[in-house]
Amino acid sequence: MTSFLNRVTKGPNKPFQRLANSALLALSAAFCVAEAQAAGYAGTQFEIEMVVFSREEGMQTSRETWPATPKLTYDKHWVDFNSPSANDPLLPALEPAANQLNNKVASLNRNPRYTVLFHKTWRQVLQTERNAPAVLINGGTPSDEHHQLEGSVTISVSRYLHLSTDLWFSEWAQQPQLQPTDWNMEPQQADSTSAQGIAVPTQPRAPLLPVAESEPLGLGASAEPATSSFNSSNSFSTSADFASFGDEENTRALPEEKIAERVAVLQEERRLRSGELHYIDHPKLGVLIEVRTVEQTEDEEQDPLLQSE
C-alpha cells in the first residue's frame, strides 16, 4: 500500500496531480468567464422589478426587537422616479417598464397578514458600487411629507450584481394635543413639549418632470403646480402639465424630519443573479426583486445622471 501511495503522489507524471491541475484550470477558467461577464454588466441597462410588503404582526411574532436608535440617512448620490434624464429632460432617468410580478402581488394582497407597500418596475444603467446612485423608495400610508416605507436601494455591479437595501418602516408617534392654556405658547416652546422618539429624515425630491406643450401659455393662463400620479397597482407613472419652479418666498420648505415612535430597519447586502427572483426576509418587511437583462441598441446612450459626479 505504501509503495502504491508513493507511486501516485511522487514522480513527474502523477495521475492525481494531472487531475488536480485540470480541475484547477477548469475552475480558474470558470471564474474568469464569470468575472468577464459581470464586468461587462457595467454600463449596461437592466430592468428591475421590486415589491416591498409588510407583515402586520411581524415584530410581535419574532424574537427581534425594534431598534432603539437606528441611523436613518439618505445617500448624497441619489435618483428618484421624478428625476429627469440628463439626456432628455422630458424623460425620466429611471425609465418605467411593465410589471411582471403581478401574480405575486395579487397573492400577497389576498392574505390579510400582508400589505403591499411598493411595486414598481424600471430600467436603469448599472454602474460600479462607487458610481451607482441610491434609488429612493417610498410607499404605504402617507403622513405629512412622509410615508410608512422610506429609504433607498442601490443596485451595482462588480464581479457580480449586488443589491444594498437601506429601508425603514415607521410607526409615527402621536402628536401632543395643545390645551387651551397652551395656545399662547411660542412655537419653540410648543416644539419642546413634543414626545421624544426617533427622528426620521425627510426624503429629498427631484423636480417633477415637465411635459412639452403644444401651445405656449397665454398671458392670462393660470399656472397650476405639477403633480405626480401613481395608478392603483402602484406601477410607475408621472404627469406634469409643465414645470413649476418657485422662489424661496413662494416655495414651502419641507420639514427636516418627523418623529416616529418606532422604526423597523431593513439593511441587507445581497448578490443577485440576472433573471432570477430573489427574496429578502425580515420580521416586519419582505422584498421581492428581479433584475432582468435588456438588449440595448447602439443609439441608446448612458444617462450621465446615473453616474457619480
Side-chain angles (χ1 to χ4, degrees):
M1 178 63 73
T2 303
S3 60
F4 173 77
L5 291 176
N6 289 336
R7 286 198 302 272
V8 298
T9 57
K10 294 182 180 181
N13 296 317
K14 303 183 293 290
F16 283 2
Q17 184 177 5
R18 292 198 300 271
L19 182 61
N21 289 339
S22 300
L24 287 175
L25 288 174
L27 185 61
S28 177
F31 275 121
C32 290
V33 171
E35 186 170 341
Q37 182 182 22
Y41 286 160
T44 302
Q45 188 181 56
F46 281 79
E47 188 171 278
I48 302 160
E49 183 167 4
M50 190 171 74
V51 179
V52 184
F53 60 93
S54 64
R55 296 182 175 86
E56 296 304 320
E57 299 181 356
M59 301 298 282
Q60 289 83 346
T61 58
S62 170
R63 294 182 179 180
E64 294 194 28
T65 58
W66 297 80
T69 56
K71 295 181 179 180
L72 310 177
T73 59
Y74 287 103
D75 194 289
K76 293 182 179 180
H77 181 39
W78 58 267
V79 62
D80 70 3
F81 295 97
N82 282 322
S83 296
S85 168
N87 294 328
D88 186 349
L90 297 181
L91 297 176
L94 301 175
E95 180 185 351
N99 294 332
Q100 298 185 22
L101 299 179
N102 290 329
N103 59 332
K104 306 292 185 183
V105 173
S107 178
L108 289 169
N109 285 329
R110 286 194 295 267
N111 193 323
R113 296 181 300 170
Y114 303 129
T115 301
V116 176
L117 305 171
F118 176 90
H119 180 202
K120 286 186 176 63
T121 305
W122 69 92
R123 291 185 175 183
Q124 178 182 352
V125 176
L126 296 189
Q127 303 294 334
T128 60
E129 184 177 3
R130 179 179 180 180
N131 296 330
V135 178
L136 302 188
I137 301 297
N138 62 52
T141 305
S143 177
D144 297 329
E145 302 294 340
H146 289 261
H147 289 78
Q148 286 177 301
L149 172 71
E150 294 177 318
S152 65
V153 296
T154 304
I155 304 172
S156 60
V157 60
S158 54
R159 295 183 179 178
Y160 47 82
L161 297 174
H162 185 266
L163 169 69
S164 176
T165 66
D166 189 10
L167 302 171
W168 52 83
F169 181 91
S170 303
E171 292 188 356
W172 306 114
Q174 295 294 328
Q175 298 298 321
Q177 299 292 329
L178 289 179
Q179 300 298 323
T181 55
D182 299 330
W183 288 349
N184 294 327
M185 293 173 60
E186 294 295 331
Q188 294 81 359
Q189 294 175 314
D191 292 340
S192 65
T193 63
S194 61
Q196 297 296 317
I198 300 171
V200 179
T202 299
Q203 193 173 72
R205 297 180 184 178
L208 292 175
L209 296 173
V211 172
E213 298 179 85
S214 57
E215 297 181 0
L217 287 176
L219 295 178
S222 60
E224 297 180 359
T227 58
S228 174
S229 62
F230 299 89
N231 61 26
S232 58
S233 63
N234 285 333
S235 57
F236 169 80
S237 66
T238 57
S239 64
D241 294 331
F242 44 82
S244 177
F245 303 98
D247 54 26
E248 293 183 359
E249 295 181 358
N250 298 326
T251 302
R252 181 169 60 90
L254 295 176
E256 293 185 358
E257 58 189 26
K258 182 177 173 65
I259 301 300
E261 182 177 353
R262 50 188 182 177
V263 178
V265 179
L266 174 54
Q267 294 177 331
E268 182 82 14
E269 305 286 335
R270 181 71 61 89
R271 294 183 183 183
L272 303 178
R273 287 182 179 271
S274 176
E276 292 186 6
L277 179 62
H278 294 264
Y279 172 55
I280 301 176
D281 194 16
H282 182 272
K284 186 62 180 178
L285 298 172
V287 175
L288 297 173
I289 186 166
E290 186 172 274
V291 180
R292 302 182 283 264
T293 56
V294 175
E295 293 185 3
Q296 191 173 11
T297 63
E298 295 181 357
D299 297 334
E300 291 177 335
E301 297 181 358
Q302 180 177 328
D303 198 325
L305 180 62
L306 302 180
Q307 302 180 32
S308 67
E309 299 177 355

